[in-house]
Amino acid sequence: MPSYTAPTKDMQFILHDVLKVTEHSIPGYDELDRDFTAAILEECGKLNAEVLAPLNVVGDTEGCVLENGVVRTPTGFKAAFDQVREGGWTGLDMPEEYGGQNMPFVLGAATLEMFAASNQAFAMYQGLTHGAASAILAHGSDDQKATYLPKMIACDWTGTMNLTEPHCGTDLGLMRTKAEPQEDGSYAITGQKIFISAGEHDMADNIIHLVLAKIPGGPEGIKGVSLFIVPKFLVNEDGSLGARNGVACGKIEEKMGIHGNSTCVMNYDGAKGWLLGDLHKGMRAMFTMMNEARIGVGMQGLAQAEAAYQNALIYAKDRLQGRAVTGVENPDGPADPLIVHPDIRRNLMDQKSFTEGARAFVLWGATLIDQAHRGKDDDADGLISLMTPVIKGFLTDKGYDMTVQAQQVYGGHGYIEEWGMSQFTRDARIAMIYEGANGVQALDLVGRKLAQDGGKHVMAFFEMVKTFCKDNDSEEMEPFVGPLKQASKDLQAAGMFFMQNGMKNPNAALAGSTDFMHMMGHVCLALMWARMAKTSLDALANGTTDPDFHETKLVTARYYMTRQLPATGMHLARIQSGADTVMGLTADQF
Amino acid sequence: MPSYTAPTKDMQFILHDVLKVTEHSIPGYDELDRDFTAAILEECGKLNAEVLAPLNVVGDTEGCVLENGVVRTPTGFKAAFDQVREGGWTGLDMPEEYGGQNMPFVLGAATLEMFAASNQAFAMYQGLTHGAASAILAHGSDDQKATYLPKMIACDWTGTMNLTEPHCGTDLGLMRTKAEPQEDGSYAITGQKIFISAGEHDMADNIIHLVLAKIPGGPEGIKGVSLFIVPKFLVNEDGSLGARNGVACGKIEEKMGIHGNSTCVMNYDGAKGWLLGDLHKGMRAMFTMMNEARIGVGMQGLAQAEAAYQNALIYAKDRLQGRAVTGVENPDGPADPLIVHPDIRRNLMDQKSFTEGARAFVLWGATLIDQAHRGKDDDADGLISLMTPVIKGFLTDKGYDMTVQAQQVYGGHGYIEEWGMSQFTRDARIAMIYEGANGVQALDLVGRKLAQDGGKHVMAFFEMVKTFCKDNDSEEMEPFVGPLKQASKDLQAAGMFFMQNGMKNPNAALAGSTDFMHMMGHVCLALMWARMAKTSLDALANGTTDPDFHETKLVTARYYMTRQLPATGMHLARIQSGADTVMGLTADQF
């Protein structure tokens, strides 16, 4: 069975040595000293390694079962959920007035990686609850906040998000679920929602569904969509639970993975709901949840890659097969461990350089979120808005590829379920799809985010890269700054191509959107690796007590620069070929 | 449920317009006229579309069940296997004296694609039988051939190959299964083999296991390995079946996919076996089977990509979601079909340009095999020996990626099992692993095949590309010849890097082996696309009656050149960074 160890040492390095969190002038960051974050991360790591990781295979094997309208989660999930609840993990970064601990998001993000790595299917129950609570926090009335938040933040009640219908996912304007106004100010919700994660289960007293629906007679399409709170059990004035609402799980989907999470068809039959936020502004309210969810999903890409990598590494050190081409390395054994072979090394280094770079990227993104929300900084808000599709799309595409590579280290043993490597791949696959398929992320990036606020944020990003390169124009930093400069130049050339051609023909830009998203992801990871290299060079120059850690960082940084970053040239060439061949066929010619 | 239509039109184009098979001076090729191959391909296509494709999901859902030592295949498999048997498909390219039809392999290869596309798990039962029969044909005594071949070629008896043991897969020198000589000239085989595809099932009267084992006292390691024929039921002198042999299926593995094929742990307990081929030359005999199997597996990569693509295309034309950015295209509907969106196009064109290029590549490879075997041409033999790891490794890596992309077109519907897209991905995953994991293919290519016969074959390949480019130095061919030249130059630069650095440090070459395999795959597909483009340009110039087909080919060829081929530059950059970062860490530093 696979194991998981929380990468707390690397997280501490990123938080304190690279990002230097305590030096930020963001409210709450002064509390994040090294000992404090170590205590939180170690505790969270222990829970994930010892309680949640062992349930990962159980969840995959047993799945969720719907019987007589009740969904039974896999053996052990309920008890583990109680432990998560008791630890107060869902409320880590939530306001104290509703029972949270008011910690910065950056710390929550680090714990989130652990939950998403040890047991993704399990983590979704609390992740969706956190997202739904955030939406209520941002858009709810005082009454709604008082009614729902304390219970949700304590995870006594869980949350869901209901967008997709059988005939529409990305294009929510086609939605048919309707909300009819009632005399008491509530709405009667009727319709079918599909792919509802954690839609029904046995781990919480109540489930608070956030449901997109249209009020008859409202504006056409997406402009007529509103968001509603629809609890599974109605809540009495005194906070106790009342009658069962008119919502039920009709079916649990058979999926490729994340079997431990109940993916439900939810049927709303005149269910009582209450408007959340403004009338016909449902998409705006939902996006509060969605942006948070997208960063969480990007984190899943990293997290599954990390978990898979840890196990591939153990296997590569353990499994004896063949001899090193440069001479026997394990003379006392019948063969050398897999890790002596260059192609296995390449495989492992791909994974290592991705996960560590991605971790720095997401945690840096989390500081932007804190800066935007806690520091009320609009520039940070614009920058993270630009980065959100990159975090979601690039990290889940690459994260999935890494789980496939980790599986490959095991040979045939990676294909049978016994070793658990197939599950990482099957679970990681969904992250490329949900919360906006990655093609939609790329469209959001190129079609919307690049030009947002007059292109201010992407210019700020380029400026940030440029400043870093200028400030680190030294011989020892050249192996990192040189490739970063080149990659950033490629990215700017792609942006220039879009500007020059996209006005005349939007397809010329959109045909290159996925390539652009990947290029930008590479430049972001390269920036992170250059920053980490700088940190490690300084640490070595200052006589660190842990030279091995920093030497390892430097080799891994050089690997990323020489072996991963050259992808930007390929993406640029594709982009510059424009839309001619992409759009060259009629639909019938396919 | 997904559907499958055999791409017979494209196969006919490749066989007759591109490869011009009847003009080859290979024995048997004169019979392959257009009407004849059309008849065979249509009949085979019908069987695959109507009988085997509908059983694909059934096989995935039901899997194989072991009860009281007997393996039950999924509902419908046995009856379908009878139809395959009656059609004589396994014997298509086998000698007439043993009941085959003596057709060239190139025709068999085209049918093989269909079987591997419609139902990979099912196709493996006959595929392994074909491979085992080939090994007996090449290495068996006259008696062995007479005893086993007619039954195997008729598929009344099926075959298996037994290599892997729990502690060894790639490194077969570690093998423990032993073969003890008996007084009657047979051997008593004892040991455990794992991952034995089609190891036990209910569709044939007998199963002929080819088993690698060591004779006690023989040479150490791989040099002491011999190959044995071990039938499930002993065969009496009159050809009737005798006693059950000492071999049994101990367990069926739970796998990520190909559930319809029984992947068995096989326990040999003093089973009666007979030496096949020479003593201690088991690997050589097994490689007869393995090389055929590797091409078959490469074909699976293409085939699963083709099946997934066909369904993604149907969905992209059917599913209405969003509007074209350049203006509404389906004004009567609530939204436009997915296929209007540039990123969906990019996705589909990736798939289309891969599968059509790969098909030409494999069929060209099949003509090399015919030229080598039927034409006794050593140069062709050397060239296909060079190409075998590329066909296996590149086509299965890319084929898998394409199934993932096809799945992505479906959004959330691609993740649930109901639509069948997850199965293509899960089934295609194994092809990167079995018959030598793709890292081993890359090692075989760079560590052995490049230098084989003094590098003669790779030089011949470069010469072939060069000649084609020289012969087609025209303005209309420039969009194809230009990129092909550049990619071939990149490939040669990589080969040069290996020569200059690999002697000093073998790791410098092997660290780039997977990148080289991919580069070479791209150059091969680019050569095929350039040849197809030439064919289509000629057809259009000559007033073809099907201009649409050829215009489509030209757009797709240009797509491959501009959107796929630029990958060679990235691979070259990676290769030229050498082994420093790949091998830079000690095992403990990971």
Coordinates of all heavy atoms in Angstrom, one line a residue, chain A residues 403-451:
Chain A
T403 N 1.9 11.8 -12.4 CA 1.4 10.5 -11.8 C 1.6 9.4 -12.8 O 1.9 8.3 -12.4 CB -0.1 10.6 -11.4 OG1 -0.9 10.9 -12.6 CG2 -0.3 11.7 -10.4
V404 N 1.4 9.7 -14.1 CA 1.6 8.7 -15.1 C 3.1 8.2 -15.1 O 3.4 7.0 -15.2 CB 1.2 9.2 -16.5 CG1 1.5 8.2 -17.6 CG2 -0.3 9.5 -16.5
Q405 N 4.0 9.2 -15.0 CA 5.4 8.9 -15.0 C 5.8 8.1 -13.7 O 6.6 7.1 -13.8 CB 6.3 10.1 -15.0 CG 6.3 10.8 -16.4 CD 7.4 11.8 -16.6 OE1 7.3 12.6 -17.6 NE2 8.4 11.8 -15.8
A406 N 5.2 8.4 -12.6 CA 5.5 7.7 -11.3 C 5.0 6.2 -11.5 O 5.7 5.3 -11.1 CB 4.7 8.4 -10.2
Q407 N 3.9 6.1 -12.1 CA 3.3 4.7 -12.3 C 4.3 3.9 -13.2 O 4.4 2.7 -13.0 CB 2.0 4.9 -13.0 CG 1.1 3.7 -13.1 CD -0.2 4.1 -13.9 OE1 -0.3 5.1 -14.6 NE2 -1.2 3.2 -13.9
Q408 N 4.9 4.6 -14.2 CA 5.8 3.9 -15.1 C 7.0 3.3 -14.4 O 7.5 2.3 -14.8 CB 6.2 5.0 -16.2 CG 6.9 4.4 -17.4 CD 6.0 3.6 -18.3 OE1 4.8 3.6 -18.1 NE2 6.5 2.8 -19.2
V409 N 7.5 4.0 -13.3 CA 8.6 3.5 -12.6 C 8.4 2.0 -12.1 O 9.3 1.2 -12.0 CB 9.0 4.4 -11.4 CG1 10.1 3.8 -10.5 CG2 9.4 5.8 -11.9
Y410 N 7.1 1.7 -11.8 CA 6.8 0.4 -11.3 C 6.6 -0.7 -12.3 O 6.4 -1.8 -12.0 CB 5.4 0.5 -10.5 CG 5.5 1.1 -9.2 CD1 5.8 2.5 -9.0 CD2 5.3 0.3 -8.0 CE1 5.8 3.0 -7.7 CE2 5.3 0.9 -6.7 CZ 5.6 2.2 -6.6 OH 5.6 2.8 -5.4
G411 N 6.8 -0.3 -13.6 CA 6.6 -1.3 -14.7 C 5.2 -1.9 -14.5 O 4.2 -1.2 -14.1
G412 N 5.1 -3.2 -14.7 CA 3.8 -3.9 -14.6 C 3.1 -3.7 -13.3 O 1.8 -3.7 -13.2
H413 N 3.9 -3.6 -12.2 CA 3.3 -3.4 -10.9 C 2.6 -2.0 -10.8 O 1.8 -1.9 -9.9 CB 4.4 -3.5 -9.8 CG 5.0 -4.9 -9.8 ND1 4.5 -6.0 -9.2 CD2 6.2 -5.3 -10.4 CE1 5.3 -7.0 -9.4 NE2 6.3 -6.7 -10.1
G414 N 2.9 -1.1 -11.7 CA 2.2 0.1 -11.7 C 0.8 0.0 -12.3 O 0.0 0.9 -12.1
Y415 N 0.6 -1.0 -13.0 CA -0.7 -1.2 -13.7 C -1.8 -2.0 -12.9 O -3.0 -1.8 -13.1 CB -0.5 -1.8 -15.1 CG -1.7 -1.7 -16.0 CD1 -2.1 -0.5 -16.5 CD2 -2.5 -2.8 -16.4 CE1 -3.2 -0.3 -17.4 CE2 -3.6 -2.7 -17.2 CZ -3.9 -1.4 -17.7 OH -5.0 -1.3 -18.6
I416 N -1.3 -2.8 -12.0 CA -2.2 -3.5 -11.2 C -2.5 -2.7 -10.0 O -1.7 -1.8 -9.5 CB -1.7 -4.9 -10.7 CG1 -0.4 -4.8 -10.0 CG2 -1.5 -5.8 -12.0 CD1 0.1 -6.1 -9.4
E417 N -3.7 -2.8 -9.4 CA -4.2 -1.9 -8.4 C -3.5 -2.2 -7.1 O -3.5 -1.3 -6.2 CB -5.8 -2.1 -8.2 CG -6.5 -1.7 -9.5 CD -6.5 -0.2 -9.8 OE1 -6.0 0.6 -9.0 OE2 -6.9 0.2 -10.9
E418 N -2.9 -3.3 -6.9 CA -2.4 -3.7 -5.6 C -1.4 -2.7 -5.1 O -1.3 -2.5 -3.9 CB -1.6 -5.1 -5.9 CG -1.2 -5.8 -4.6 CD -0.5 -7.1 -5.0 OE1 -0.8 -7.7 -6.0 OE2 0.4 -7.5 -4.2
W419 N -0.6 -2.0 -5.9 CA 0.4 -1.1 -5.5 C -0.1 0.3 -5.3 O 0.6 1.2 -4.8 CB 1.6 -1.2 -6.4 CG 2.4 -2.4 -6.4 CD1 2.0 -3.6 -6.9 CD2 3.6 -2.7 -5.6 NE1 3.0 -4.6 -6.6 CE2 3.9 -4.0 -5.8 CE3 4.4 -1.9 -4.9 CZ2 5.1 -4.6 -5.3 CZ3 5.6 -2.5 -4.3 CH2 5.9 -3.8 -4.5
G420 N -1.3 0.6 -5.8 CA -1.9 1.9 -5.5 C -1.5 3.0 -6.5 O -1.9 4.1 -6.4
M421 N -0.6 2.7 -7.4 CA -0.1 3.7 -8.3 C -1.1 4.1 -9.4 O -1.2 5.3 -9.8 CB 1.2 3.3 -9.0 CG 2.4 3.1 -8.1 SD 2.7 4.4 -6.9 CE 3.5 5.6 -8.0
S422 N -1.9 3.1 -9.8 CA -3.0 3.4 -10.7 C -4.0 4.4 -10.1 O -4.5 5.3 -10.8 CB -3.7 2.1 -11.1 OG -5.0 2.3 -11.5
Q423 N -4.2 4.3 -8.8 CA -5.2 5.2 -8.2 C -4.7 6.7 -8.3 O -5.6 7.6 -8.6 CB -5.5 4.8 -6.8 CG -6.6 5.7 -6.2 CD -6.8 5.5 -4.7 OE1 -6.2 4.7 -4.0 NE2 -7.6 6.4 -4.1
F424 N -3.5 6.9 -8.1 CA -3.0 8.3 -8.2 C -3.3 8.9 -9.6 O -3.8 10.0 -9.8 CB -1.5 8.4 -8.0 CG -1.1 8.1 -6.6 CD1 -0.1 7.1 -6.3 CD2 -1.7 8.7 -5.5 CE1 0.3 6.8 -5.0 CE2 -1.3 8.4 -4.2 CZ -0.3 7.4 -3.9
T425 N -3.1 8.1 -10.6 CA -3.4 8.5 -12.0 C -4.9 8.7 -12.2 O -5.3 9.7 -12.7 CB -2.8 7.4 -13.0 OG1 -1.4 7.3 -12.8 CG2 -3.1 7.9 -14.4
R426 N -5.6 7.7 -11.8 CA -7.1 7.8 -12.0 C -7.7 9.0 -11.2 O -8.6 9.7 -11.7 CB -7.8 6.5 -11.6 CG -7.4 5.4 -12.6 CD -8.1 4.1 -12.3 NE -7.7 3.4 -11.1 CZ -8.3 3.5 -9.9 NH1 -9.4 4.2 -9.8 NH2 -7.8 2.9 -8.9
D427 N -7.2 9.2 -10.0 CA -7.7 10.3 -9.2 C -7.3 11.7 -9.8 O -8.1 12.6 -9.8 CB -7.2 10.2 -7.7 CG -8.0 9.1 -6.9 OD1 -8.8 8.4 -7.5 OD2 -7.7 9.0 -5.7
A428 N -6.0 11.7 -10.2 CA -5.5 13.0 -10.7 C -6.2 13.4 -12.0 O -6.2 14.6 -12.3 CB -4.0 12.9 -10.9
R429 N -6.7 12.5 -12.7 CA -7.3 12.8 -14.0 C -8.5 13.8 -13.9 O -8.7 14.6 -14.8 CB -7.8 11.5 -14.7 CG -8.4 11.7 -16.1 CD -7.4 12.1 -17.1 NE -7.9 12.4 -18.4 CZ -8.3 13.6 -18.7 NH1 -8.4 14.6 -17.8 NH2 -8.8 13.9 -19.9
I430 N -9.3 13.7 -12.8 CA -10.4 14.6 -12.7 C -10.0 16.1 -12.6 O -10.8 17.0 -13.0 CB -11.3 14.2 -11.5 CG1 -12.7 15.0 -11.5 CG2 -10.6 14.4 -10.2 CD1 -13.5 14.8 -12.8
A431 N -8.9 16.3 -12.0 CA -8.5 17.7 -11.7 C -8.3 18.5 -13.0 O -8.4 19.7 -13.0 CB -7.2 17.7 -10.9
M432 N -8.0 17.8 -14.1 CA -7.9 18.5 -15.4 C -9.3 18.9 -16.0 O -9.4 19.7 -16.9 CB -7.3 17.6 -16.5 CG -5.8 17.3 -16.1 SD -5.3 15.7 -17.0 CE -5.1 16.4 -18.7
I433 N -10.4 18.3 -15.4 CA -11.7 18.5 -15.9 C -12.6 19.4 -15.0 O -13.2 20.4 -15.5 CB -12.4 17.1 -16.1 CG1 -11.6 16.3 -17.1 CG2 -13.9 17.3 -16.5 CD1 -12.1 14.8 -17.2
Y434 N -12.7 19.1 -13.7 CA -13.7 19.9 -12.9 C -13.2 21.3 -12.6 O -12.1 21.6 -12.7 CB -14.2 19.1 -11.8 CG -13.3 18.6 -10.6 CD1 -12.1 19.0 -10.4 CD2 -13.8 17.6 -9.8 CE1 -11.3 18.5 -9.3 CE2 -13.1 17.1 -8.7 CZ -11.8 17.6 -8.5 OH -11.1 17.1 -7.4
E435 N -14.2 22.0 -12.1 CA -14.0 23.5 -11.9 C -13.5 24.2 -13.2 O -12.7 25.1 -13.1 CB -13.0 23.8 -10.8 CG -13.2 23.0 -9.5 CD -14.6 23.1 -9.0 OE1 -15.3 24.1 -9.3 OE2 -15.1 22.3 -8.2
G436 N -14.1 23.8 -14.3 CA -13.7 24.4 -15.6 C -12.6 23.6 -16.2 O -11.4 23.6 -15.7
A437 N -12.9 22.9 -17.3 CA -11.9 22.0 -18.0 C -10.7 22.9 -18.4 O -10.9 24.1 -18.6 CB -12.6 21.4 -19.2
N438 N -9.6 22.3 -18.5 CA -8.4 23.1 -18.7 C -8.4 23.9 -20.0 O -7.7 24.9 -20.1 CB -7.1 22.2 -18.6 CG -6.8 21.8 -17.2 OD1 -7.5 22.3 -16.3 ND2 -5.8 21.0 -16.9
G439 N -9.1 23.4 -21.0 CA -9.3 24.3 -22.2 C -10.0 25.6 -21.9 O -9.7 26.6 -22.5
V440 N -10.9 25.5 -20.9 CA -11.6 26.7 -20.5 C -10.7 27.6 -19.7 O -10.8 28.8 -19.8 CB -12.9 26.3 -19.7 CG1 -13.6 27.5 -19.1 CG2 -13.8 25.4 -20.6
Q441 N -9.8 27.0 -18.9 CA -8.9 27.8 -18.2 C -8.0 28.6 -19.1 O -7.7 29.8 -19.0 CB -8.0 26.9 -17.3 CG -8.7 26.0 -16.3 CD -9.5 26.9 -15.3 OE1 -9.1 27.9 -14.9 NE2 -10.6 26.3 -14.9
A442 N -7.6 27.9 -20.2 CA -6.7 28.5 -21.2 C -7.4 29.7 -21.9 O -6.9 30.7 -22.2 CB -6.2 27.5 -22.2
L443 N -8.7 29.4 -22.2 CA -9.6 30.4 -22.8 C -9.7 31.6 -21.9 O -9.6 32.8 -22.3 CB -10.9 29.8 -23.1 CG -12.0 30.7 -23.7 CD1 -11.6 31.2 -25.1 CD2 -13.3 30.0 -23.8
D444 N -9.9 31.4 -20.6 CA -10.0 32.4 -19.6 C -8.8 33.3 -19.6 O -8.8 34.5 -19.5 CB -10.3 31.8 -18.2 CG -10.4 32.8 -17.1 OD1 -11.1 33.8 -17.3 OD2 -9.8 32.6 -16.0
L445 N -7.6 32.6 -19.6 CA -6.3 33.2 -19.5 C -6.1 34.1 -20.7 O -5.8 35.3 -20.6 CB -5.2 32.2 -19.4 CG -3.8 32.7 -19.4 CD1 -3.5 33.6 -18.2 CD2 -2.7 31.6 -19.5
V446 N -6.2 33.5 -21.9 CA -5.9 34.3 -23.2 C -7.0 35.2 -23.6 O -6.8 36.3 -24.0 CB -5.5 33.3 -24.3 CG1 -5.4 34.0 -25.6 CG2 -4.2 32.6 -23.9
G447 N -8.3 34.8 -23.4 CA -9.4 35.6 -23.9 C -9.8 36.7 -22.9 O -10.5 37.6 -23.3
R448 N -9.4 36.6 -21.7 CA -9.9 37.5 -20.7 C -8.8 38.1 -19.8 O -8.7 39.3 -19.8 CB -11.0 36.8 -19.8 CG -12.2 37.7 -19.5 CD -13.4 36.8 -19.2 NE -13.2 35.9 -18.1 CZ -13.4 36.2 -16.8 NH1 -13.9 37.4 -16.5 NH2 -13.2 35.3 -15.9
K449 N -8.1 37.2 -19.2 CA -7.2 37.7 -18.1 C -6.0 38.5 -18.7 O -5.6 39.5 -18.0 CB -6.7 36.5 -17.3 CG -7.8 35.7 -16.6 CD -8.4 36.5 -15.4 CE -9.5 35.9 -14.8 NZ -9.2 34.7 -14.0
L450 N -5.5 38.1 -19.8 CA -4.4 38.9 -20.4 C -4.7 40.3 -20.6 O -3.9 41.2 -20.3 CB -3.9 38.3 -21.7 CG -3.1 37.0 -21.7 CD1 -2.6 36.7 -23.1 CD2 -1.9 37.2 -20.8
A451 N -5.9 40.6 -21.1 CA -6.3 42.0 -21.4 C -6.9 42.7 -20.2 O -7.2 43.9 -20.3 CB -7.2 42.0 -22.6

